[in-house]
Structures are given as C-alpha cells and as structure tokens.
Amino acid sequence: MVTIFPYVPQNITVHLGPPAAIASNVTVSFPDYVKNVASSEVYPTWRENALRANILAIISYALNRVYTEFYRSRGYAFDITSSTAYDQNFVYGRSFFSTIERIVDEIFNNYLRRSGTLEPLPAKFCNGTTVTCSGLSQWGSQNLAQQGYSYIRIIRYYYGQDVELVANAPVRGYTSSYPGFILRNGSSGPNVIVVQQELNRISQNYPAIGTVAVDGRFGSRTEAAVRRFQEAFGLTADGLVGRATWYALVRVYVAVTRLSELDSEGQRFYSINWNFPRTLSLGARGTDVRNLQYLLSVAAEFINSVNPVSIDGVFGEQTRQAVIGFQRYAGLSPDGVVGNQTWDRLYNQVAGIRGRVLDDTLLPAIDTTPRLMQSPAQNLQLGSRD
C-alpha cells in the first residue's frame, strides 16, 4: 500500500478579514504565518511545553484549511482568514517573539492528526478564560505545563488519546489538490488513496455509496462507488474522477467531517421547540440566537453563500452576514433580520440536510409539524438552489 502524507505549503494566503468581506489577501511563508499567529495568541514567557502544544494546534488548524481546500473549494482565492470568528488571529506586519520563532522553526512541518486518518486535525483552541470551547484552553495548557505535563500529554488532554504527532511532513509550493488528469479504472497511486479515503468517510453519511479498500488501486469497486457518489450529487455518473468529481468529493468530505464536529453542539438542542421564537436581528442575545446559529452552522456546510458562525448566543455582524447569505440563497429579502419566513425556510433546509445526509445522533430530532410543508431533502445536492 502506498503511504501518503499531507504536505506543508511553502506559503499560505491569508484574507485580512471575514471570508466574504472586501479585504486584501496577503501571501506569507507558512512558518512566518505560524509565528505571527502564535505571537498574537500566546505569551512567550509561558512554559515551553505549553508553547509547543499551542503552536502545534495552530499548525494543524492551518494545515487542515489548506489540505481540505476549505475556502478554495468554495471559490475563494485564499487559504485562511485573519478573523478569529472563523480562523486564527493573524496581524499582518507584526513582529515575532524570539522564543516562539525558535520553536516554530523547529516544528513548523509537524502536525496533529487522529489515528487512522490522513488530514491534519482541525485543532480548535480558545483562551479558556473569557472564551471557552471544545478544544485546547490556552491558559489551561500553561497550567498543565506548570504541573509538569509534556506537550503531547497536554494535547491529548484536550483533543483525546487517539491524537498522534506526524513529524517532518514534506514541504512544497502550493498546488491545487486535483492531480491534473482523470483517475479511472486501472489508475493507481496516492491520488487514488485520497479518493478512496474520501469515499469511505462520505459513505458513513451516504451508506448507499458503499466502502472500498484503501489500497491505491482504482478497481471495479472504487469505480462503482464513484458512480454512486456521482449519482447522489447530480454529476455525470461515468465512474471517472475528473476535476468536477474531484472537487465534489473534497466539498462533501469537508462538509460531513465538519458536521460530525457539530455532534457535541447538537446534543444541546434535542428538547428545543423549533417553532419560530421571535424576530431576531443585530444585537439580540440568548437561547433563541444560539438555536439560530446552530441551524446556520449546519446550513453553511452545504450552501456556499452561508459563512460558518460561532454558536455563542450573540447576534453580531458575523451572524447577520450568514443570515443575509442564506436569505439570498433562498430568494428572500436580504435584510439580515430573521422573521418567520426566514426562520421556517432555514429550518426546512436543515430538516432536508438531516433527512438526506445525517443520522439522528448529529442533529436534534425534527418535529415536522404541518407548517413545514416543503422539505428540500429531495433536491438537496451539491450546487442545488431553491
């Protein structure tokens, strides 16, 4: 079996603002990007094991964005944003701390992943004081380091015991993931492994696709699974992996992986009455806003115009832009205000996603009352529109 590793890009392109904002894109070396974020996020006087744990989280998160082509597969000309609401804190033009520079130069091509997977871990983190999250606590990591924890023990404390460290990943210039030629029955090599890995992960949510051996050989079973994937997503079902099918696989793989991350968030929503609560707009706060943000987060994985949002119960500009993106998609007046019609249309969209893509462990049970007459489940596919 061929062994492949995600590569570390020589450079990374950063959008200096939220994804949809009009802002500059800057390209910097990958090590300098990591030094910038680490110098903006943590204190250079912290214990070295805390610094290493935080820097590895920063590296892995950024590499996940590059490896999954999270933004480029959505048509953006950048790899990551500088907005902490979406990604990591990058301050263009800032200086670096020497302690952080030294560590980054040593480990910039190391990253975290879960055992049995290829992609770098999308390692979330927060400061652990004013903001908490399901990932690494920055101040918490310093506390653990003061107790004598090694950096890998700190990482596993927050991300789980199945996280492993990949060292000395190859470095190369950025290239599109698409290999530039069609993969077909008889093809072999690392690109086929990527397709097989993606098919197997997607099949967890689309069982009809079926699983295949990850052996780097494009045989009849892989061809059949490709055909079933193409049929499910409205592509020409020819069993060939050309550019359109390659990027459809990338998009759906990223979407179902991201939705699985929403599992723990979704558990909080099982007992909710999903009837329209009240008009929600900029400045609103509370549980109703959290429910809205949860629905937007799920929709964002399948609708290009809806940017991901933080589920924090605060209706800020990020949430307003996501609402506007959904309203445009749904043919509603894009005013950023969630009234009855916007709520019901968004709810129907998520109900369709649940019915087509997800099992009951990933989304709250949907109460399909008579007011929900037109679920889009039968039409929901890559590139679909209301």
Side-chain angles (χ1 to χ4, degrees), residues 9-320:
Q10 291 175 335
N11 300 310
I12 186 170
T13 299
V14 187
H15 184 65
L16 300 180
I22 298 174
S24 298
N25 294 338
V26 297
T27 299
V28 298
S29 75
F30 187 76
D32 279 357
Y33 169 81
V34 177
K35 293 172 186 177
N36 187 305
V37 174
S39 295
S40 303
E41 290 279 2
V42 297
Y43 291 89
T45 55
W46 282 0
R47 295 289 181 90
E48 178 149 333
N49 282 336
L51 292 176
R52 286 178 176 269
N54 279 270
I55 289 169
L56 281 168
I58 291 167
I59 291 169
S60 295
Y61 185 93
L63 288 181
N64 182 271
R65 285 295 200 237
V66 173
Y67 178 76
T68 62
E69 296 181 286
F70 186 86
Y71 290 111
R72 291 186 183 273
S73 68
R74 289 162 167 76
Y76 293 111
F78 53 83
D79 304 301
I80 200 165
T81 75
S82 66
S83 170
T84 56
Y86 297 93
D87 296 307
Q88 305 184 127
N89 189 15
F90 177 88
V91 182
Y92 185 52
R94 70 154 299 147
S95 59
F96 313 141
F97 297 113
S98 59
T99 305
I100 288 173
E101 280 194 287
R102 174 180 58 81
I103 296 174
V104 172
D105 284 338
E106 180 184 336
I107 67 170
F108 77 91
N109 61 338
N110 298 346
Y111 64 89
L112 308 172
R113 70 180 180 190
R114 295 208 180 278
S115 179
T117 66
L118 287 175
E119 68 273 14
L121 182 73
K124 296 179 181 178
F125 56 85
C126 53
N127 64 27
T129 54
T130 59
V131 180
T132 59
C133 62
S134 58
L136 180 144
S137 163
Q138 293 169 324
W139 279 102
S141 68
Q142 166 66 352
N143 181 53
L144 293 176
Q146 289 174 330
Q147 296 178 44
Y149 279 54
S150 67
Y151 69 88
I152 195 66
R153 189 179 175 195
I154 292 172
I155 286 165
R156 287 175 175 159
Y157 178 88
Y158 288 108
Y159 298 120
Q161 296 301 309
D162 61 338
V163 171
E164 60 188 20
L165 179 68
V166 176
N168 299 317
V171 179
R172 74 179 192 212
Y174 174 80
T175 57
S176 168
S177 68
Y178 177 59
F181 52 86
I182 294 174
L183 300 174
R184 64 184 76 225
N185 199 329
S187 298
S188 62
N191 293 312
V192 176
I193 288 180
V194 171
V195 169
Q196 292 169 330
Q197 288 269 2
E198 290 172 340
L199 286 169
N200 284 347
R201 176 62 188 86
I202 293 167
S203 72
Q204 294 177 30
N205 298 87
Y206 293 82
I209 291 174
T211 59
V212 298
V214 182
D215 56 10
R217 295 191 292 271
F218 198 127
S220 57
R221 290 194 61 178
T222 298
E223 181 181 33
V226 169
R227 288 182 188 275
R228 289 190 290 267
F229 172 83
Q230 291 169 326
E231 290 168 354
F233 288 93
L235 300 165
T236 301
D238 55 12
L240 305 177
V241 181
R243 179 178 293 274
T245 296
W246 179 277
Y247 281 110
L249 282 163
V250 170
R251 284 288 313 281
V252 178
Y253 174 84
V254 172
V256 296
T257 302
R258 166 64 181 147
L259 286 171
S260 72
E261 295 173 15
L262 289 172
D263 185 11
S264 60
E265 196 68 52
Q267 301 304 316
R268 306 177 188 178
F269 292 82
Y270 270 95
S271 60
I272 287 174
N273 180 346
W274 288 97
N275 290 324
F276 172 64
R278 58 189 171 97
T279 298
L280 300 172
S281 60
L282 197 65
R285 292 173 176 266
T287 301
D288 295 335
V289 176
R290 287 182 60 83
N291 298 347
L292 167 67
Q293 290 168 331
Y294 179 75
L295 295 175
L296 288 168
S297 294
V298 176
E301 298 306 318
F302 289 86
I303 302 173
N304 287 349
S305 62
V306 182
N307 289 321
V309 299
S310 300
I311 304 176
D312 58 10
V314 179
F315 197 126
E317 183 61 24
Q318 180 197 76
T319 300
R320 190 178 82 88

